[in-house]
């Protein structure tokens, strides 16, 4: 079966001469951990040490929070006009574009994603910074001038304060850029903790922020693991908000840690995202979108369309079309620009993916493509084959859980109501898609689907202007768009009386 797949062997590309040295950034000072602890990241695709990072603990996390708190309280950033904050964010965007190659190489080697994808994500993130810069100049409240001739009230929008930003390994720079520039545009000061698996591009961003003129202490970076660093960032009373992207399980733990101080929590969590295909759809485009949706980033994507719900009349033929396209997708060396799908992030995660497939087969499902590790010549076996599973029933774990790998499950339906029932019978509600040439079908589906984003006749098109987030156990709050800025703002009501018109409460006569 493997001979029928498109496997791209190692191209023998030159690797960095030495690991990247990643350090904490606290109060404008780069530093190693006080105890000298470090962690090494071994490339999942090439097996070499890519980065050697300071491994922080509670002391580093607390020092970073103190630095952010001091920076916010003295107004060195929040007190600037929006125009001045926007100017810094625009300079950061320019510097990101000037450093794409350096950052993309490290992101590819740390995460295993293809170099062409890393270049697109790092370079594309500059647009998020530019859009956030535009919002920095337009923070507005409301006015209430119909309360009577002697009363004027306004609502003010003010930065929420100190924000802890905890980011995942699957899109290290992109997801950071969906959070940090919007928090900065609002006037907040931040402490950032990237995943211990992918710290390097976040550290490089710290360098670029300093070059762009960001005041010391406004953005602090602490490297390390969720325990204890992430836990401190969530629980510390000096932090006003925590925003996290990652698994639903970890999201629950962060919400619990933050509950002690009732701070605001924004969570972008997992998904079990369906694409529903009707017989009248453009089946060629739909099949291509299904293949893209399940294999992009090796399926290690919260928006992965890991299940398709296909009309029974076309299910067999459509699945065959998806399988044929899957065989043509280039899996292999992430440093080859032609590669479309790279490596699984860790061996443990690869074993978890395979466990879902094995359990599905034991429960009666049929693996019609893949279903095993993939060996890439010259690079080893930390890859997984493109996998399609049919005969799936809604109660199977592979149909309900977030597998987070290149594994597609196929279910069938006959009516729109049945399709929506399958879509909504999930703990998650991040995104959903529908394919039909009938606009009424698409609109009815969009109204009925329980999801934060619905795509019609496309998949995973996104724009800085269009907000993103989930419902149910896919998260709380929204990112990007104007709502992405609003997440980092508090509303204050100001009521003003004009003239001496207030009635006296105490009767003196």
């Amino acid at each position: 079966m493997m001979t029928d797949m498109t496997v791209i062997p190692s191209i023998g590309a030159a690797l960095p001469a030495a690991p990247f040295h990643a350090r904490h950034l606290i109060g404008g000072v780069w530093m190693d951990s006080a105890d000298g602890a470090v962690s090494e990241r071994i490339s999942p695709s090439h097996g070499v040490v890519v980065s050697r990072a300071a491994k922080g603990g509670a002391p580093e996390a607390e020092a970073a929070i103190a630095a952010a708190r001091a920076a916010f309280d003295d107004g060195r950033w929040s007190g600037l006009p929006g125009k001045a904050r926007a100017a810094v964010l625009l300079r950061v965007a320019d510097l990101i574009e000037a450093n794409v190659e350096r950052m993309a190489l490290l992101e590819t080697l740390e995460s295993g994603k293809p170099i062409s994808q890393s270049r697109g994500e790092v370079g594309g993130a500059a647009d998020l910074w530019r859009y956030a810069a535009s919002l920095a100049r337009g923070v507005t409240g409301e006015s209430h001038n119909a309360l009577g001739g002697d009363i004027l009230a306004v609502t003010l929008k003010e930065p929420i304060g100190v924000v802890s930003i905890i980011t995942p390994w699957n899109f290290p720079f992109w997801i950071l850029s969906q959070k940090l520039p919007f928090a900065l545009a609002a006037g907040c000061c931040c402490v950032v903790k990237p995943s211990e698996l992918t710290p390097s591009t976040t550290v490089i961003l710290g360098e670029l922020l300093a070059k762009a003129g960001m005041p010391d202490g406004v953005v602090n970076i602490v490297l390390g693991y969720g325990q204890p660093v992430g836990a401190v960032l969530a629980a510390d009373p000096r932090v006003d908000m925590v925003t996290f992207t990652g698994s639903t399980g970890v999201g629950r733990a962060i919400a619990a840690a933050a509950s002690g101080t009732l701070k605001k929590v924004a969570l972008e969590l997992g998904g079990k995202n369906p694409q529903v295909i009707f017989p009248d759809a453009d089946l060629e485009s739909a099949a291509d979108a299904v293949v893209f949706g399940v294999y992009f980033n090796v399926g290690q994507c919260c928006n992965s369309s890991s299940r398709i719900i296909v009309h029974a009349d076309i299910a067999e033929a459509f699945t065959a079309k998806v399988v044929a396209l899957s065989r043509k997708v280039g899996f292999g060396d992430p440093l080859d620009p032609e590669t479309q799908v790279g490596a699984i992030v860790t061996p443990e995660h690869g074993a978890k993916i395979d466990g879902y497939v094995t359990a599905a087969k034991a429960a009666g499902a049929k693996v019609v493509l893949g279903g095993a590790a993939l060996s890439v010549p010259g690079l080893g076996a930390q890859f997984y084959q493109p996998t399609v599973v049919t005969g799936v029933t809604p109660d199977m774990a592979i149909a309900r859980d977030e597998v987070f790998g290149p594994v597609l499950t196929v279910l069938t339906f006959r009516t729109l109501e049945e399709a929506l029932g399958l879509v909504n019978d999930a703990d998650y509600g991040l995104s959903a898609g529908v394919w039909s040439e009938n606009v009424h079908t698409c609109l009815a589906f969009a109204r009925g689907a329980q999801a934060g984003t619905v795509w019609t006749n496309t998949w995973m098109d996104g724009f800085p202007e269009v907000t993103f987030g989930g419902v149910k156990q896919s998260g709380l709050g929204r990112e990007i768009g104007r709502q992405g800025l609003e997440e980092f703002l508090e509303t204050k009501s100001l009521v003003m009386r004009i003239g001496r018109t207030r009635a006296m409460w105490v009767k003196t006569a």
Side-chain angles (χ1 to χ4, degrees):
M1 187 182 298
M2 281 178 53
T3 57
D4 294 333
M5 299 178 185
T6 303
V7 180
I8 299 177
S10 171
I11 61 172
L15 301 176
F20 179 79
H21 184 194
R23 297 185 295 169
H24 312 294
L25 175 62
I26 299 176
V29 178
W30 292 100
M31 61 183 67
D32 293 312
S33 294
D35 62 1
V38 298
S39 61
E40 292 184 338
R41 174 56 172 158
I42 298 175
S43 171
S45 57
H46 288 76
V48 299
V49 177
V50 184
S51 55
R52 188 170 288 115
K55 184 180 178 182
E60 286 79 20
E62 291 167 359
I65 292 168
R69 185 78 258 169
F72 183 78
D73 290 346
D74 69 21
R76 72 186 73 168
W77 180 250
S78 60
L80 294 178
K83 177 181 178 180
R85 292 201 297 269
V88 175
L89 300 185
L90 290 172
R91 288 196 292 271
V92 174
D94 292 341
L95 288 167
I96 289 170
E97 289 181 332
N99 285 270
V100 166
E101 286 303 313
R102 176 190 178 204
M103 298 170 77
L105 177 61
L106 284 168
E107 186 142 307
T108 284
L109 290 174
E110 285 186 337
S111 70
K113 65 178 61 187
I115 188 68
S116 55
Q117 183 182 326
S118 292
R119 288 169 178 155
E121 289 170 12
V122 174
D127 196 34
L128 293 169
W129 286 79
R130 292 194 175 105
Y131 179 68
S134 73
L135 296 177
R137 302 184 65 163
V139 177
T140 59
E142 300 174 331
S143 63
H144 299 272
N145 58 355
L147 305 176
D150 59 344
I151 294 287
L152 176 63
V154 297
T155 57
L156 307 177
K157 295 287 187 171
E158 298 181 343
I160 198 167
V162 173
V163 180
S164 293
I165 299 177
I166 304 173
T167 57
W169 50 260
N170 58 338
F171 295 93
F173 195 72
W174 182 264
I175 289 177
L176 177 59
S177 296
Q178 288 192 156
K179 299 175 184 289
L180 180 57
F182 294 85
L184 294 173
C188 297
C189 294
C190 303
V191 180
V192 178
K193 192 204 90 65
S195 167
E196 67 277 5
L197 300 177
T198 52
S200 295
T201 52
T202 298
V203 171
I204 292 174
L205 178 63
E207 299 172 4
L208 304 185
L209 289 167
K211 290 181 181 178
M214 185 67 66
D216 292 346
V218 173
V219 177
N220 305 272
I221 300 169
V222 183
L223 310 177
Y225 289 73
Q227 289 291 345
V229 175
V232 172
L233 296 185
D236 195 292
R238 293 169 294 179
V239 173
D240 302 293
M241 175 182 175
V242 57
T243 173
F244 165 79
T245 295
S247 71
T248 296
V250 176
R252 290 192 195 101
I254 286 175
S259 67
T261 54
L262 294 179
K263 61 172 59 70
K264 184 174 183 179
V265 176
L267 304 171
E268 197 274 281
L269 306 175
K272 191 66 178 176
N273 312 296
Q275 294 199 59
V276 175
I277 296 95
F278 284 83
D280 67 335
D282 177 351
L283 297 181
E284 297 295 328
S285 185
D288 183 81
V290 165
V291 170
F292 162 66
V294 71
Y295 302 135
F296 176 70
N297 213 58
V298 211
Q300 299 170 148
C301 175
C302 59
N303 258 335
S304 172
S305 58
S306 55
R307 59 181 177 137
I308 57 172
I309 303 170
V310 191
H311 195 281
D313 290 348
I314 61 167
E316 185 175 349
F318 186 80
T319 302
K321 192 183 296 289
V322 168
V323 168
L325 284 178
S326 298
R327 297 184 189 277
K328 297 179 180 180
V329 177
F331 279 62
D333 187 353
L335 293 181
D336 189 327
E338 296 301 313
T339 294
Q340 294 170 284
V341 183
I344 301 298
V345 66
T346 63
E348 294 78 10
H349 187 58
K352 179 182 176 183
I353 294 168
D354 193 60
Y356 276 107
V357 177
T358 301
K361 286 192 292 185
K366 182 180 179 181
V367 178
V368 296
L369 179 69
L374 174 67
S375 181
V376 174
L379 294 180
Q382 202 165 313
F383 298 79
Y384 203 82
Q385 297 176 23
T387 299
V388 179
V389 185
T390 61
V392 174
T393 55
D395 60 306
M396 293 181 182
I398 202 170
R400 304 192 68 84
D401 295 350
E402 187 178 37
V403 176
F404 227 58
V407 178
L408 178 69
T409 61
V410 183
L411 296 95
T412 62
F413 75 97
R414 287 212 168 269
T415 66
L416 173 63
E417 291 71 25
E418 185 182 359
L420 283 170
L422 290 169
V423 166
N424 295 335
D425 181 26
D427 294 330
Y428 301 105
L430 190 58
S431 58
V434 60
W435 290 83
S436 172
E437 294 294 286
N438 187 320
V439 66
H440 303 291
T441 298
C442 291
L443 289 175
F445 178 88
R447 294 292 294 271
Q450 296 170 2
T453 297
V454 176
W455 284 290
T456 68
N457 297 312
T458 189
W459 187 258
M460 226 184 307
D461 283 339
F463 307 90
E465 297 86 351
V466 182
T467 197
F468 171 72
V471 300
K472 298 195 280 189
Q473 293 190 35
S474 286
L476 304 168
R478 290 296 181 266
E479 294 184 343
I480 67 176
R482 177 160 286 278
Q483 285 177 276
L485 175 76
E486 294 286 338
E487 288 289 334
F488 299 103
L489 294 170
E490 287 280 20
T491 301
K492 176 186 289 182
S493 295
L494 173 61
V495 180
M496 299 170 282
R497 184 170 290 275
I498 302 168
R500 297 183 177 181
T501 60
R502 179 183 173 273
M504 302 299 287
W505 185 65
V506 177
K507 297 185 170 32
T508 59

